[in-house]
């Protein structure tokens, strides 16, 4: 058991409550991970039953998020938590929302897979979806493992990986546009797969959010708007003004209008 992992970071009286909270979050994360794997597989293998599994299973993730929210409120109500405890509680709460979104994206992919299979679609873009899908599965696994171990180094790796998935998404989207230009009959199919690729890219972003929350939890450092390494000059680098920092998890930078 990872019973004592978070103990050293937190006040003793809170150990059990907080560990239960983290365990519930990790359980929910595992559910989303399983659904994501099935969703990608249902697309690649044209497996309607597997797609149905994902679509039905999403309710359970949503239910678990409600349980997590309830637990957060109970833990907060039980006593005035210390600052580090509060950081963890808020991180778990925000990360729960990210997991719920990952579940939603997996469900979208499964719905698209179901439809594509029924219509007997040509596997345009399946290679890209498979490649990107495998990559974000690894990101999510890494993010959850880092959370389980309270491992900041692992979390930083997930952030690095997010810039890789961004690059993969851009190049895959370009490849898909070439199909459309070459043959107009592909338009509908390509648009479908573009939505799938978009969902996969979003899942990567949510995995990154989880990693960022964890780093904040462990170090107190807010890394949300720092692109690491080569991406410093990226367009998506809004000034980290703290009014916007807390605005929303799914923050879309508006290019310099703020």
């Amino acid at each position: 058991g990872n019973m004592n992992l978070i103990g050293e970071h937190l006040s003793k009286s809170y150990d059990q409550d907080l560990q239960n909270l983290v365990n519930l979050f990790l359980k929910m994360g595992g559910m989303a991970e399983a659904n994501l794997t099935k969703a990608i597989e249902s697309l690649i293998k044209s497996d309607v039953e597997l797609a149905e599994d994902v679509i039905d299973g999403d309710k359970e993730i949503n239910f678990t998020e409600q349980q997590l929210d309830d637990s957060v409120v109970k833990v907060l109500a039980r006593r005035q938590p210390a600052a580090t405890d509060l950081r963890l509680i808020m991180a778990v709460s925000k990360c729960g929302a990210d997991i719920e979104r990952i579940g939603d994206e997996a469900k979208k992919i499964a719905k698209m897979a179901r439809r594509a299979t029924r219509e007997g679609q040509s596997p345009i873009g399946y290679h890209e979806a498979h490649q990107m899908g495998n990559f974000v599965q690894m990101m999510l696994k890494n993010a959850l493992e880092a959370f389980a171990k309270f491992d900041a180094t692992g979390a930083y790796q997930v952030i690095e990986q997010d810039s890789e998935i961004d690059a993969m998404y851009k190049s895959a989207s370009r490849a898909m546009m070439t199909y459309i230009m070459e043959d107009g009959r592909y338009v509908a199919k390509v648009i479908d797969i573009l939505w799938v690729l978009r969902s996969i890219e979003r899942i990567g972003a949510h995995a990154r959010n989880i990693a960022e929350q964890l780093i904040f939890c462990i170090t107190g450092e807010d890394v949300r708007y720092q692109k690491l390494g080569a991406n410093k000059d990226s367009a998506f680098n809004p000034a980290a003004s703290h009014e916007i920092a807390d605005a929303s998890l799914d923050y879309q930078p508006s290019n310099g209008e703020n």
Side-chain angles (χ1 to χ4, degrees):
N2 55 355
M3 230 31 246
N4 297 317
L5 276 167
I6 60 176
E8 60 203 274
H9 296 271
L10 305 158
S11 62
K12 288 288 160 274
S13 57
Y14 252 83
D15 279 3
Q16 197 51 57
D17 275 347
L18 289 178
Q19 190 65 61
N20 291 344
L21 211 54
V22 169
N23 288 347
L24 186 56
F25 164 69
L26 292 172
K27 176 190 154 189
M28 183 182 171
M31 291 157 77
E33 213 181 335
N35 268 14
L36 170 58
T37 304
K38 284 184 198 167
I40 301 293
E41 204 176 311
S42 74
L43 180 75
I44 305 306
K45 296 187 174 164
S46 301
D47 186 332
V48 174
E49 265 176 62
L50 203 52
E52 299 280 4
D53 259 10
V54 175
I55 294 162
D56 295 340
D58 188 53
K59 295 184 204 67
E60 214 170 321
I61 295 177
N62 296 343
F63 173 70
T64 310
E65 195 199 10
Q66 284 173 339
Q67 281 183 300
L68 189 66
D69 284 344
D70 292 347
S71 306
V72 164
V73 172
K74 281 188 188 120
V75 172
L76 286 173
R78 207 161 290 172
R79 80 194 72 195
Q80 222 40 65
T84 48
D85 295 349
L86 194 55
R87 267 208 319 243
L88 177 65
I89 295 165
M90 294 326 288
V92 167
S93 175
K94 286 179 176 174
C95 291
D98 278 300
I99 292 291
E100 193 266 330
R101 296 273 187 75
I102 288 172
D104 288 347
E105 297 297 349
K107 183 179 169 181
K108 281 186 207 166
I109 295 167
K111 281 185 165 172
M112 205 65 91
R114 182 173 65 179
R115 197 170 89 209
T117 304
R118 283 177 183 160
E119 293 172 7
Q121 284 204 5
S122 56
I124 293 175
Y126 281 20
H127 171 71
E128 288 81 355
H130 198 186
Q131 202 186 14
M132 283 175 62
N134 284 347
F135 195 84
V136 297
Q137 283 174 47
M138 176 187 69
M139 282 178 73
L140 178 56
K141 182 172 181 283
N142 292 349
L144 293 170
E145 272 176 12
F147 212 108
K149 296 186 209 145
F150 247 61
D151 168 24
T153 315
Y156 276 112
Q157 277 171 338
V158 174
I159 294 177
E160 296 278 9
Q161 287 165 342
D162 188 49
S163 49
E164 286 183 58
I165 201 73
D166 287 348
M168 286 163 98
Y169 176 60
K170 284 198 183 90
S171 101
S173 303
R174 275 198 288 268
M176 294 305 102
M177 297 320 281
T178 326
Y179 274 113
I180 294 183
M181 290 175 208
E182 281 170 11
D183 189 336
R185 288 173 305 180
Y186 290 139
V187 171
K189 290 173 181 184
V190 171
I191 286 173
D192 276 355
I193 205 73
L194 277 172
W195 280 113
V196 167
L197 298 178
R198 172 73 180 153
S199 280
I200 295 172
E201 184 270 335
R202 294 311 306 150
I203 290 168
H206 289 302
R208 180 196 166 116
N209 283 351
I210 291 168
E212 288 171 342
Q213 287 297 333
L214 178 62
I215 290 165
F216 181 63
C217 215
I218 296 171
T219 67
E221 182 193 2
D222 190 340
V223 288
R224 277 181 292 182
Y225 304 122
Q226 305 167 15
K227 280 280 191 186
L228 300 182
N231 269 30
K232 283 202 177 67
D233 53 353
S234 145
F236 293 103
N237 197 359
S241 89
H242 286 283
E243 301 86 68
I244 47 177
D246 294 314
S248 130
L249 275 176
D250 222 345
Y251 168 62
Q252 294 294 332
S254 62
N255 298 317
E257 284 149 26
N258 286 328

